[in-house]
Amino acid sequence: MSDARPPLDRFLYAGAAALLAVCLALATVAFAPSWTDDTVSLTGGGATDEVTLTVARPRVGATDVGIRVTPRPGRRDARPATVTLQAVLPTTGHATPAATPRPRGRGAYSTAVHLMMPGRWVFHVSVDHGTRTDRFDFPLVITG
């Protein structure tokens, strides 16, 4: 059997079908649970330490944050570092109060922060060793 429609009509129907498929795919992605509901870990480092920031649920509201400070090979400090965390949303000027995470073992710290709106937040982690302070910035998109 042959299609009796003119070629232009067939082309328009095919285009409409393709557009519908793309719209359905975008709607599925938009309404599906966001990948950011999962834990996100970011790692940065300097000459003396490697710092890993782990955000348990990067969404608006209260979320747990873990920080791991790992000394670089050859560095020896007699005392543990003092860690400070602050989350800032530069586009609006929002910021969480600076928090001192609780030590949870060798080089591990944890705290909770309250993120008041979605956007591209920057988590500032300061590691104070007494004689020097290193600051690490971790950008992270927070969803609604």
Side-chain angles (χ1 to χ4, degrees), residues 24-112:
L24 287 174
L26 289 174
T28 301
V29 169
F31 293 111
S34 174
W35 66 270
T36 58
D37 286 343
D38 296 330
T39 299
V40 175
S41 290
L42 303 169
T43 301
T48 57
D49 295 309
E50 179 179 280
V51 176
T52 300
L53 175 86
T54 302
V55 180
R57 185 179 177 266
R59 294 182 57 85
V60 171
T63 187
D64 293 325
V65 178
I67 299 168
R68 174 157 298 282
V69 178
T70 306
R72 296 281 187 196
R75 185 184 66 87
R76 294 184 193 104
D77 278 337
R79 62 188 197 108
T82 301
V83 176
T84 307
L85 171 72
Q86 184 175 32
V88 176
L89 184 58
T91 56
T92 63
H94 292 314
T96 64
T100 303
R102 295 178 307 267
R104 295 290 184 194
R106 187 175 176 139
Y109 303 85
S110 68
T111 191

Side-chain angles (χ1 to χ4, degrees), residues 100 115 122:
T100 303
L115 305 170
V122 179

